[in-house]
Amino acid sequence: MTAAAGASKQGIGARVQRKEDARFLHGRGNYVTDMLLPGQREVAFLRSPIAHGRIVGIKKPAGLENAVFTRADLTGLNPIIAQSTIPGYKASEHPPLASAKVTYVGEPVAFAIAATRAEAEDMLEAVDLELEDLPPLVDAHAARADPSVRVHEAWPDNLFVTLGVDSEYEVRARGADIVVEREVTLSRQCMVPLEGKAILAYWDERYDQLMVYASTQVPHILRVGFAQVLGLGEEHVRVISPDVGGGFGYKVIVGPEDVCVTWLARKFHRPFRWIEDRREHLVAGANARQHHYRLKAHADKTGRLLALDAEVTIDGGAHSVWPFTIGLEPGQAVGNLPGPYDFRGYRCKVHCVATNKPGFMPYRGVARTGVCFAMEQMIDAIARAVGREPWQVRHDNLVPAEAMPYDNVTKKHFDSGDYRKSLLMVRDKIGFEAVRARQAQGESDGRLIGIGFATYCEQSAHGSSVFSTWGLPLIPGYDQATVRLVSGGGLEVRVGVHSHGQGMETTMAQIANSVLGVDIARIQVVHGDTGLTPFSTGTYASRSIVMSGGAVGQACEILIPRFVAIGAHLMQCATSTARYENGKVVGPQRSVTLEEIAAAWYHRPDRLPPDVDRGGLETTIAYKPERDTGAFSYASHAAVVAVDTQLGHVEILDYVIAEDCGTLVNPMVVDGQMLGGATQGLGTAMYEESPYDANGQPLASTFADYLLPGPTEVPAMRIFHMETPSPYTKFGIKGMGEGGAIAPPATLFNAVNDALRPLGVEVTETPLTPRRLLAALERAQR
């Protein structure tokens, strides 16, 4: 018996066009915003206009007492609390509506229901909300230093958690030839998926279930959360995630608006819907990225890194967000700061601080964009200190291929790869020597040319052993898949993860095709419905293609012996003389198709062998890699920029990526993921910022102030693939969904700093706006 791997032009490794794109390109996608049910009511929220204050009173408008709701009305709700087992972690209740005080601008205080969103908003205009101002905590360093004002008054300070590690730092740092110190800052930003959050809920009388349609990455986790908060058994909750217009980590949480909508549906047994508008998103929704690093690196005279000391401050906002708690961001920072480098002295302390801003949420690349930004700038700083090219110092410090598998200083187990090769590839593809020659010659328009590099590794598809150390309340383990040969010979694949742009309906079908040889046009991938799919914690952490893809592959393999047994019986030959090949069971003299096998099982059971496997033509299997510490993808990026020192403008002249995510399931999908992620990284580097004034008021509440890179700002990136299969995963696949967003800020800042090196200027704070660049140039001239 043999599988069909390698025999099809649609299987693993093929550039198959995405199956789902036909409906999207023709406007036939089905989103929560498209849904309309009889009797449906729209929900709008009244939000706090100040960052920190006590609620003195909330008075509903006369005659609308049954259409406007405050926290006192929400009976039967359990609190939303993101728990963690990390020592010293302080839990905070995240109320569905504020009751005692407000803790950030945009926090929901009340909501109204009406036939239209506009009518509900008009009702809220008449609500009398009286607030007493409290001093706002806007700066994380100040909030940590002075606990006289606290976001959570029951706490002794404003610290969610402090994490630390010390591994031979003093011993390794002693006697270093050079010591380099830097401060590096990432500004706060939002995630801005094409579709914001959206939820529609009603009570289904027939099934006695709360039916929730939600734009989410994690339908099964939402089911757990809603059941807990509403006090329901999970069997009474069904979550369906239709088409989702992007997520990036923002849609893995249960927010206060979600809880309010589900409460309404349970109480009134009619449909209610909330659609997040863009202002809500920018003001109160998805905050991320705000890190500050104080770094000290010790190296020898060639630039070999000996030891690194770091203090990291993360502005966590007002609340932990369920279920991915504040512990996730600092845990990722302390563990991933060393990056892909080979050194043994490491000391790091990470403080996650509560402030009067919206709660921090996981965003594509969780913490790794920040640690890469910090670490890669330090590598360049070391290179300048020892008088060598940054790529040379980077190359010498990277873990060599012959050391794989390799346990780094924070015990990250790098499974496979050739980090140095990826760096050399982008150096050659970017034309390093030609760029240096161009720099020496100078530009006729007076601009300065710079070249920058960055290398990162991405821990993908990490499982129970990793997440448990971060103290999360819900730990991923096995992912399940159901594969069924349906009557007529088509294949149905059911997975608990959900796609929000990754192309899973195509790639999961490609995996099934590689094993069974069934044309992907006849493979239906079912996902996004807790009532139809096996349990999974969902789509995040670059895990789906490894975990659910592995389960799909194993389930398909389990079915092959069953197909062969039935096929051999139909051909009247011995099972030992039959084999499975490309959708057929082949015997000594003829073959039997899957259609014939399905017909025998479903329509003519009298033709089945007497000892037929009673599991039938479907199976559900649970899968996780043999080692669940993660499959490490990696990449090197290189950029060439031209800097106008008069206008502060930076033009990206060339951008090259060499990536390795193990076995490529669909190179075209990988290209799309990498391009999309790199564009978001460009936004982090050059455009996106969510600033706050001294009163905690957000200063970027519309796209007039919150800038995003568009088609004219994104360079024609060139992507090159390497394939080093993981020794631990099914098919050698590694995840890569977050990787593209990790390296661009470091790459572009290193390129700009290379251009400005003759002027003695160095920029270290995102985003690199013309204002910041010109200010740095002015400081250098004083």
Side-chain angles (χ1 to χ4, degrees):
M1 295 180 292
T2 61
S8 170
K9 295 181 180 179
Q10 299 179 326
I12 293 173
R15 285 182 171 268
V16 175
Q17 290 190 348
R18 300 196 332 167
K19 296 178 58 169
E20 48 269 77
D21 284 349
R23 69 176 185 274
F24 296 141
L25 291 172
H26 289 89
R28 294 197 293 266
N30 186 29
Y31 300 87
V32 174
T33 313
D34 297 316
M35 298 176 179
L36 185 63
L37 298 177
Q40 183 172 304
R41 292 291 182 268
E42 304 294 334
V43 182
F45 287 87
L46 176 66
R47 299 180 181 275
S48 171
I50 66 173
H52 198 194
R54 299 196 190 283
I55 298 177
V56 178
I58 306 177
K59 186 176 180 182
K60 299 180 183 182
L64 297 176
E65 290 83 1
N66 295 324
V68 176
F69 300 82
T70 66
R71 181 65 182 92
D73 298 311
L74 305 186
T75 57
L77 275 182
N78 296 319
I80 312 171
I81 302 179
Q83 298 288 357
S84 175
T85 58
I86 295 177
Y89 168 83
K90 301 185 189 77
S92 60
E93 181 177 333
H94 192 183
L97 294 175
S99 55
K101 71 173 189 174
V102 293
T103 55
Y104 60 92
V105 173
E107 182 171 10
V109 177
F111 63 84
I113 57 174
T116 67
R117 171 72 173 256
E119 291 176 275
E121 290 177 348
D122 287 345
M123 292 176 185
L124 294 175
E125 290 288 336
V127 173
D128 184 8
L129 173 62
E130 185 179 356
L131 299 171
E132 176 191 343
D133 283 299
L134 293 172
L137 296 172
V138 181
D139 180 83
H141 297 286
R144 177 176 160 234
D146 181 7
S148 59
V149 177
R150 298 183 296 279
V151 177
H152 304 286
E153 294 173 7
W155 294 6
D157 52 34
N158 287 303
L159 278 170
F160 282 106
V161 69
T162 295
L163 301 179
V165 64
D166 191 337
S167 178
E168 303 181 30
Y169 170 72
E170 294 288 353
V171 174
R172 299 283 181 168
R174 195 177 300 131
D177 295 305
I178 66 161
V179 178
V180 178
E181 297 186 55
R182 289 290 187 278
E183 287 194 35
V184 175
T185 302
L186 271 85
S187 294
R188 202 173 193 87
Q189 66 176 100
C190 285
M191 300 168 194
V192 201
L194 285 174
E195 178 202 28
K197 291 190 68 179
I199 183 170
L200 166 64
Y202 67 96
W203 193 271
D204 189 300
E205 303 291 351
R206 178 186 178 195
Y207 292 105
D208 195 26
Q209 283 184 319
L210 175 69
M211 300 289 290
V212 182
Y213 289 86
S215 179
T216 180
Q217 305 166 221
V218 290
H220 288 273
I221 294 301
L222 251 63
R223 182 189 193 191
V224 173
F226 291 147
Q228 289 181 3
V229 175
L230 296 170
L232 291 169
E234 286 185 38
E235 67 277 10
H236 291 293
V237 181
R238 180 177 175 182
V239 176
I240 301 171
S241 185
D243 289 326
V244 174
F248 312 128
Y250 180 43
K251 298 176 182 177
V252 299
I253 59 99
V254 172
E257 299 90 351
D258 304 320
V259 170
C260 292
V261 172
T262 55
W263 178 85
L264 283 167
R266 185 189 184 195
K267 180 175 179 61
F268 296 106
H269 285 220
R270 66 185 303 171
F272 295 89
R273 182 175 68 171
W274 171 67
I275 306 295
E276 178 188 62
D277 67 27
R278 194 56 69 183
R279 186 179 178 89
E280 286 179 307
H281 178 82
L282 291 174
V283 170
N287 277 215
R289 291 280 193 260
Q290 192 168 9
H291 289 203
H292 177 269
Y293 296 81
R294 288 192 177 97
L295 303 166
K296 181 186 291 186
H298 305 260
D300 68 16
K301 60 185 178 183
T302 70
R304 280 285 290 172
L305 184 59
L306 304 174
L308 179 69
D309 188 23
E311 184 175 29
V312 186
T313 302
I314 299 172
D315 187 328
H319 301 281
S320 292
V321 181
W322 192 97
F324 291 88
T325 72
I326 283 295
L328 182 64
E329 194 81 17
Q332 286 271 46
V334 72
N336 287 289
L337 180 57
Y341 296 107
D342 176 16
F343 65 95
R344 288 295 154 186
Y346 181 51
R347 183 172 66 192
C348 182
K349 185 165 284 189
V350 180
H351 312 282
C352 194
V353 185
T355 62
N356 291 120
K357 299 173 186 174
F360 222 64
M361 295 190 190
Y363 179 31
R364 194 175 196 170
V366 181
R368 285 163 289 188
T369 299
V371 299
C372 178
F373 185 63
M375 191 69 189
E376 292 303 297
Q377 288 195 77
M378 285 301 290
I379 293 294
D380 272 36
I382 292 169
R384 287 191 288 272
V386 300
R388 299 181 68 200
E389 285 287 0
W391 76 262
Q392 293 174 328
V393 172
R394 186 168 279 103
H395 176 275
D396 291 352
N397 279 289
L398 288 169
V399 175
E402 58 269 21
M404 297 292 182
Y406 174 89
D407 293 323
N408 82 342
V409 68
T410 57
K411 298 181 173 56
K412 300 292 184 187
H413 184 75
F414 301 161
D415 51 344
S416 64
D418 192 337
Y419 301 164
R420 292 177 173 179
K421 181 180 178 182
S422 72
L423 175 62
L424 295 177
M425 183 179 291
V426 295
R427 181 204 62 180
D428 294 341
K429 298 294 184 181
I430 205 78
F432 174 77
E433 299 296 341
V435 174
R436 282 289 184 242
R438 181 176 176 179
Q439 279 182 313
Q441 181 180 351
E443 297 295 296
S444 60
D445 58 6
R447 294 190 300 174
L448 300 178
I449 300 298
I451 186 168
F453 299 91
T455 302
Y456 71 88
C457 56
E458 177 196 359
Q459 186 179 15
S460 71
H462 31 308
S464 305
S465 63
V466 177
F467 277 87
S468 61
T469 64
W470 294 335
L472 301 186
L474 295 170
I475 308 297
Y478 290 91
D479 257 46
Q480 295 174 290
T482 298
V483 177
R484 172 187 301 150
L485 181 67
V486 299
S487 175
L491 205 65
E492 192 175 81
V493 173
R494 297 174 182 250
V495 289
V497 293
H498 188 60
S499 177
H500 49 279
Q502 296 90 336
M504 289 184 198
E505 292 172 34
T506 302
T507 52
M508 295 294 176
Q510 285 184 259
I511 289 174
N513 170 272
S514 281
V515 178
L516 295 177
V518 177
D519 190 295
I520 64 169
R522 301 213 63 194
I523 300 176
Q524 187 73 16
V525 176
V526 178
H527 57 131
D529 187 339
T530 62
L532 299 177
T533 62
F535 182 83
S536 167
T537 53
T539 301
Y540 57 92
S542 301
R543 66 186 302 274
S544 298
I545 198 65
V546 176
M547 304 298 294
S548 285
V552 169
Q554 283 198 342
C556 289
E557 290 172 352
I558 287 172
L559 290 178
I560 290 176
R562 303 182 190 177
F563 297 161
V564 170
I566 296 174
H569 185 76
L570 293 176
M571 293 184 291
Q572 294 297 297
C573 69
T575 302
S576 60
T577 65
R579 68 185 186 279
Y580 187 83
E581 211 173 80
N582 287 325
K584 298 179 181 180
V585 175
V586 180
Q589 297 181 349
R590 67 184 187 96
S591 62
V592 172
T593 65
L594 286 181
E595 288 88 340
E596 293 174 276
I597 292 169
W601 176 264
Y602 292 107
H603 305 151
R604 293 297 303 273
D606 55 303
R607 295 178 178 176
L608 295 174
D611 57 348
V612 68
D613 189 321
R614 296 184 184 180
L617 303 184
E618 67 177 88
T619 188
T620 299
I621 190 69
Y623 170 81
K624 70 175 181 178
E626 61 181 77
R627 182 174 183 131
D628 74 348
T629 53
F632 280 79
S633 298
Y634 62 95
S636 288
H637 291 214
V640 178
V641 300
V643 181
D644 187 325
T645 58
Q646 300 301 309
L647 300 177
H649 180 258
V650 177
E651 181 184 359
I652 304 171
L653 303 177
D654 196 6
Y655 201 101
V656 176
I657 301 170
E659 72 82 30
D660 187 344
C661 60
T663 302
L664 292 166
V665 176
N666 187 323
M668 185 168 62
V669 169
V670 172
D671 284 347
Q673 287 284 322
M674 190 61 67
L675 287 170
T679 299
Q680 287 180 300
L682 171 61
T684 298
M686 310 295 287
Y687 300 100
E688 298 183 51
E689 183 177 13
S690 298
Y692 286 75
D693 69 11
N695 296 313
Q697 290 291 331
L699 301 179
S701 61
T702 72
F703 283 152
D705 301 301
Y706 191 91
L707 302 183
L708 291 166
T712 58
E713 287 77 38
V714 179
M717 300 179 185
R718 296 181 288 140
I719 302 173
F720 300 91
H721 300 290
M722 299 165 53
E723 285 191 80
T724 310
S726 172
Y728 307 128
T729 67
K730 189 75 174 173
F731 309 113
I733 297 168
K734 303 179 182 183
M736 55 75 58
E738 299 169 273
I742 293 173
T747 306
L748 293 168
F749 269 67
N750 282 341
V752 170
N753 286 333
D754 182 66
L756 299 178
R757 181 173 51 174
L759 304 179
V761 176
E762 193 173 314
V763 287
T764 59
E765 181 180 2
T766 67
L768 187 52
T769 59
R771 175 181 58 83
R772 280 201 175 99
L773 182 52
L774 292 174
L777 288 165
E778 183 180 350
R779 287 193 300 269
Q781 293 170 1
R782 289 173 186 170

